[in-house]
Amino acid sequence: MIANTIVYEQPLNELIRVCLRIELLFQQIDHQINDTSTLATRNVIAFIINLLQLLDRPDLKAKLAKELSHQTALLIRLENTPEIDIEKLRSLLRQLEDLARCFIDSSKKIGQNLREIELLNNLRLHLTSPGGGCNFDIPLYHYWLNQSPEERQLTLKSWITEFNNIRAASSLILQLVREGAKSQQKTAEHGFYQELLDPQINLRLIRVAIPKNILACPEISIGRHYLSVRFYTPTIQERPPQYLQHLPFWISHCNSC
């Protein structure tokens, strides 16, 4: 949004919430996938299992396909816009249509092949416990972790490819939702900002950016008719008090009409 700011995002529907969680899980996987240590391998396994749990919803594929088709319809309107990069637009449209078709044509759950792996199924049960996955929980897991780093890496990367379509779809949806909004500078008087909303606008995401040198963090609340942002002075040991000074910030309304 704006340089030298901290950006806070508030998802306004379940699909965007899931996409943001997928994005975070893959950021963590990407950060650790090339680390061949046993502890890093354990972390990547935990992220994979978190993905499987997140993607358990039976209606998720239909919602993704619907959103991808909706974004396609919005982009088609831009074909006759002056100065549009038509080749880039058509490439994006093909990508959206191909991903939507993948979810429509598949009868299996996302990551179904991984759900049939006995080791991962056992780990899904044990990793919910504090310190779960110890060598006495699943000896087979302990054995696998002691195989060569090269063998573990090959297995991990093959498992992660099972999520290629969902990763591409969620990334594309977030990209289009974020880039489709314009940032506006506002002022929170005594740390509070409120505005009226048009209930006909289909908001997907609210983004708030605050300069890094301002000691404040936002709490975003939204209803059908009102949006409010209350800023607090960050403290860790106790309940943060409201920020009482006037505060400049940027806000983006990410919608899809």
Side-chain angles (χ1 to χ4, degrees):
M1 292 176 73
I2 306 295
N4 298 315
T5 62
I6 300 175
V7 178
Y8 300 84
E9 295 186 315
Q10 180 65 45
L12 302 179
N13 66 40
E14 186 60 28
L15 180 62
I16 298 300
R17 188 175 291 109
V18 169
C19 288
L20 289 171
R21 295 189 190 281
I22 291 170
E23 179 183 62
L24 178 59
L25 284 167
F26 273 108
Q27 286 172 351
Q28 295 175 91
I29 287 173
D30 291 345
H31 181 72
Q32 296 218 282
I33 189 61
N34 292 319
D35 185 340
T36 59
S37 69
T38 301
L39 289 177
T41 297
R42 292 174 64 92
N43 288 337
V44 174
I45 289 287
F47 299 145
I48 289 173
I49 289 174
N50 285 339
L51 277 167
L52 289 172
Q53 293 171 335
L54 179 63
L55 302 174
D56 262 343
R57 294 183 50 157
D59 62 340
L60 183 58
K61 288 194 303 179
K63 288 188 174 183
L64 282 164
K66 182 178 179 181
E67 179 66 23
L68 291 164
S69 298
H70 182 68
Q71 294 293 340
T72 298
L74 291 177
L75 289 175
I76 286 174
R77 300 176 190 174
L78 302 177
E79 282 188 307
N80 296 322
T81 303
E83 300 180 1
I84 196 77
D85 186 335
I86 194 66
E87 290 303 318
K88 183 177 180 180
L89 177 62
R90 288 174 179 170
S91 174
L92 186 56
L93 287 170
R94 283 194 298 270
Q95 190 177 359
L96 285 165
E97 290 167 359
D98 289 346
L99 286 168
R101 181 55 55 191
C102 285
F103 295 120
I104 292 170
D105 290 346
S106 173
S107 60
K108 296 181 178 180
K109 270 189 174 183
I110 300 170
Q112 183 60 41
N113 291 335
L114 299 186
R115 299 174 195 277
E116 297 171 359
I117 295 174
E118 186 64 20
L119 175 60
L120 292 179
N121 286 332
N122 285 333
L123 284 170
R124 290 182 73 174
L125 297 175
H126 286 282
L127 291 186
T128 56
S129 302
C134 290
N135 58 15
F136 57 82
D137 287 323
I138 309 177
L140 176 60
Y141 186 40
H142 186 58
Y143 168 83
W144 182 76
L145 288 172
N146 279 277
Q147 301 309 296
S148 69
E150 293 78 16
E151 182 178 341
R152 286 188 279 113
Q153 289 294 96
L154 283 173
T155 302
L156 287 177
K157 290 181 178 179
S158 70
W159 287 350
I160 291 169
T161 61
E162 293 287 329
F163 301 111
N164 282 352
N165 287 336
I166 185 67
R167 181 179 191 176
S170 60
S171 295
L172 198 51
I173 288 169
L174 289 176
Q175 175 190 338
L176 292 171
V177 168
R178 286 165 173 158
E179 292 181 355
K182 291 183 179 180
S183 297
Q184 295 179 313
Q185 186 167 14
K186 302 289 184 178
T187 299
E189 297 185 4
H190 304 295
F192 182 75
Y193 171 80
Q194 187 176 64
E195 67 175 66
L196 283 170
L197 294 176
D198 182 349
Q200 301 302 316
I201 295 178
N202 187 10
L203 285 175
R204 305 298 176 89
L205 183 71
I206 295 294
R207 307 186 83 207
V208 169
I210 307 170
K212 288 184 177 180
N213 61 346
I214 294 180
L215 299 178
C217 60
E219 182 179 279
I220 303 168
S221 300
I222 188 165
R224 182 170 174 80
H225 299 286
Y226 289 95
L227 162 69
S228 64
V229 185
R230 192 179 300 274
F231 293 89
Y232 293 89
T233 301
T235 62
I236 296 175
Q237 297 294 337
E238 55 191 20
R239 183 179 177 84
Q242 184 168 333
Y243 189 89
L244 296 179
Q245 302 178 42
H246 291 353
L247 186 154
F249 69 100
W250 289 265
I251 189 167
S252 294
H253 299 72
C254 305
N255 59 63
S256 184
C257 300

